[in-house]
């Protein structure tokens, strides 16, 4: 049976006092409450096992000029995002608190509640899709919150993200233009995570538009070394002339798999990475990658959040979409490096 939610109003009614008096006692402010009333209220609280709504309490606190950011996982993309967030915060007099959830929905809620209890003014989050009711409550209470990198279907969250369909399209279109046909896109389990399933969608849409039925999606486990091993197995069994990665961690696993398979890049197989890390142009051959404007995304998310914090009115949610670029280097057979961001 579902537990009945006891409220301050219930405590006040049973104690025959005002809600203000109950609130004072809960918060340990006994100055204007006589001993008999205090003991009566505390007894009823204990008998009913009343648990204060820490979320609601936190939302009522005054501003502190502190912002929280809840990341899904720590990897190079987020380092650049954090730089953008921190610079925007610092220039506007805000400090930053950082948390990492490891993509655990329960930890996600716990961390946001913890931030609220610590009286942060607002939160930037890379959300899972499993906490819809929790975010609906925050939206209802007009708590300043901005989603970054991931889109949240059926939720009116302010969002800053990249056009991930276009990112995959740029990579696939480039390989097809070079005559590659047996293209494998490697991705961690999409699990309703928008950057992943949108990159898959962009890849498949581009293949279909070109009448290509030889390319395919390879889903790999999100554990160190598993992707490399899976790709080595695939390269033994199938003819592959190009691989598209879908994030920075996979870039490295794919490159290791190709090396251990004894294949030469780009002579025997081409590769397009995702996220343009500093090392991408230093490997041999330099890696063609889909560039995400991570710093600008972080900066925009922080600016938007501060706008929400300072606004006295409930504004409509808005989504800001950034365009990716293809940084063309030699890993696909090109002789010269260049950028490509076809509109």
């Amino acid at each position: 049976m579902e537990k009945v939610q006891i409220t301050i109003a219930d405590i006040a009614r049973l104690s025959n006092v005002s809600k203000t008096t109950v609130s004072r006692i809960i918060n340990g402010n006994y100055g204007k409450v006589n001993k008999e009333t205090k003991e009566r209220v505390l007894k009823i609280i204990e008998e009913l096992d009343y648990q204060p709504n820490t979320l609601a309490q936190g939302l009522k606190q005054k501003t502190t000029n502190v912002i929280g950011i809840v990341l899904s996982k720590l990897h190079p993309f987020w380092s650049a995002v954090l730089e953008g967030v921190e610079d925007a915060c610092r220039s506007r007099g805000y400090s930053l608190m950082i948390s990492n959830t490891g993509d655990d929905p329960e930890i996600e809620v716990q961390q946001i509640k913890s931030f609220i209890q610590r009286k942060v003014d607002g939160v930037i989050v890379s959300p899972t899709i499993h906490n819809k009711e929790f975010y609906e409550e925050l939206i209802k209470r007009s708590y300043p919150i901005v989603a970054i990198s991931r889109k949240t279907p059926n939720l009116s969250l302010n969002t800053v993200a990249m056009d991930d369909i276009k990112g995959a399209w740029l990579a696939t279109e480039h390989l097809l233009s070079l005559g590659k046909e047996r293209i494998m896109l490697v991705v961690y389990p999409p699990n309703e995570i928008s950057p992943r399933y949108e990159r898959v969608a962009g890849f498949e849409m581009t293949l279909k538009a070109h009448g290509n039925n030889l390319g395919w999606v390879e889903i790999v486990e999100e554990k160190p070394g598993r992707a490399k091993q899976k790709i080595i197995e695939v390269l033994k069994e199938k003819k592959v002339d190009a691989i598209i990665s879908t994030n920075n961690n996979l870039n490295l696993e794919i490159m290791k798999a190709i090396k251990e398979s004894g294949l030469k890049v780009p002579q025997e197989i081409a590769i397009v990475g995702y996220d343009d890390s500093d090392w991408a142009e230093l490997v041999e051959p330099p890696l063609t990658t889909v560039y995400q404007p991570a710093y600008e995304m972080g900066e925009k998310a922080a600016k938007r959040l501060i706008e929400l914090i300072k606004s006295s009115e409930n504004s409509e949610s808005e989504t800001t979409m950034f365009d990716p670029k293809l940084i063309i280097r030699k890993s696909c057979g090109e002789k010269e490096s260049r950028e490509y961001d076809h509109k």
Side-chain angles (χ1 to χ4, degrees):
M1 182 180 294
E2 187 177 349
K3 186 176 179 179
V4 177
Q5 180 66 48
I6 304 299
T7 66
I8 286 179
D10 296 324
I11 304 294
R13 177 173 51 79
L14 294 170
S15 306
N16 197 29
V17 297
S18 69
K19 289 191 290 184
T20 301
T21 298
V22 174
S23 181
R24 285 190 181 129
I25 293 170
I26 289 172
N27 292 312
N29 182 10
Y30 305 137
K32 297 182 180 181
V33 181
N34 63 50
K35 183 178 179 182
E36 181 184 346
T37 300
K38 181 185 76 172
E39 291 179 350
R40 184 169 74 252
V41 171
L42 288 174
K43 183 179 180 181
I44 291 173
I45 287 173
E46 183 179 358
E47 289 175 350
L48 296 178
D49 190 25
Y50 170 72
Q51 300 295 322
N53 186 335
T54 54
L55 176 60
Q57 285 182 327
L59 293 172
K60 295 179 182 178
Q61 303 298 330
K62 296 179 180 179
T63 59
T64 58
N65 279 40
V66 178
I67 283 172
I69 182 166
V70 180
L71 306 178
S72 54
K73 287 196 175 177
L74 294 176
H75 55 71
F77 168 77
W78 289 116
S79 297
V81 168
L82 284 172
E83 283 188 45
V85 172
E86 286 185 308
D87 286 352
C89 286
R90 192 179 299 113
S91 66
R92 289 161 177 77
Y94 283 81
S95 299
L96 186 65
M97 295 178 68
I98 304 168
S99 173
N100 174 43
T101 70
D103 259 335
D104 187 314
E106 291 185 11
I107 294 177
E108 182 179 306
V109 171
Q110 291 169 8
Q111 292 298 338
I112 294 176
K113 284 185 174 180
S114 174
F115 277 155
I116 291 172
Q117 286 178 268
R118 291 169 182 262
K119 304 179 179 67
V120 303
D121 296 340
V123 172
I124 298 169
V125 60
S126 175
T128 62
I129 49 84
H130 303 288
N131 294 313
K132 185 173 184 289
E133 291 183 2
F134 174 70
Y135 287 118
E136 285 176 340
E137 182 178 358
L138 292 177
I139 293 167
K140 181 180 178 182
R141 294 177 182 274
S142 299
Y143 184 70
I145 186 165
V146 173
I148 188 166
S149 182
R150 296 178 176 181
K151 306 174 186 73
T152 51
N154 304 316
L155 270 176
S156 56
L157 277 180
N158 285 273
T159 302
V160 175
M162 194 184 84
D163 187 341
D164 286 296
I165 291 178
K166 181 177 179 180
W169 173 78
L170 285 171
T172 312
E173 188 78 18
H174 179 61
L175 290 171
L176 290 169
S177 72
L178 296 173
K180 307 300 181 183
E181 294 184 327
R182 297 180 179 274
I183 306 169
M184 174 173 67
L185 180 132
V186 182
V187 64
Y188 290 133
N191 292 341
E192 300 181 83
I193 296 172
S194 65
R196 297 181 186 180
Y197 65 70
E198 288 188 357
R199 289 167 196 178
V200 169
F203 173 68
E204 293 179 336
M205 287 166 55
T206 310
L207 291 181
K208 185 176 180 180
H210 284 265
N212 180 300
N213 59 2
L214 299 176
W216 74 96
V217 174
E218 197 69 48
I219 298 174
V220 296
E221 288 187 68
E222 196 170 355
K223 293 180 181 178
R226 297 292 181 86
K228 183 191 78 170
Q229 191 55 45
K230 179 65 175 178
I231 294 164
I232 289 173
E233 292 171 5
V234 172
L235 291 175
K236 287 179 181 177
E237 298 170 359
K238 297 183 179 182
K239 170 63 177 175
V240 183
D241 55 22
I243 300 179
I244 298 175
S245 173
T246 49
N247 81 18
N248 192 66
N249 290 338
L250 281 174
N251 294 348
L252 294 170
E253 299 240 7
I254 291 168
M255 291 168 67
K256 289 176 183 177
I258 291 173
K259 183 177 180 180
E260 292 186 24
S261 298
L263 296 173
K264 294 181 180 180
V265 178
Q267 294 91 330
E268 296 175 286
I269 189 167
I271 175 173
V272 177
Y274 225 95
D275 299 325
D276 191 45
S277 299
D278 292 338
W279 55 261
E281 61 181 334
L282 302 177
V283 296
E284 187 57 42
L287 183 64
T288 294
T289 60
V290 177
Y291 167 78
Q292 297 192 83
Y295 178 91
E296 291 80 2
M297 290 168 67
E299 183 181 45
K300 175 61 180 180
K303 288 180 179 179
R304 178 56 180 158
L305 184 63
I306 292 169
E307 287 175 2
L308 295 173
I309 291 167
K310 293 184 174 182
S311 176
S312 58
E313 300 179 358
N314 293 332
S315 57
E316 291 291 323
S317 64
E318 63 179 43
T319 295
T320 301
M321 293 283 284
F322 283 84
D323 280 329
K325 291 181 180 179
L326 187 68
I327 309 299
I328 297 173
R329 299 191 179 97
K330 297 181 181 180
S331 65
C332 298
E334 294 278 0
K335 294 182 179 180
E336 296 181 0
S337 299
R338 58 189 175 91
E339 291 186 7
Y340 181 71
D341 60 350
H342 182 71
K343 301 297 183 183

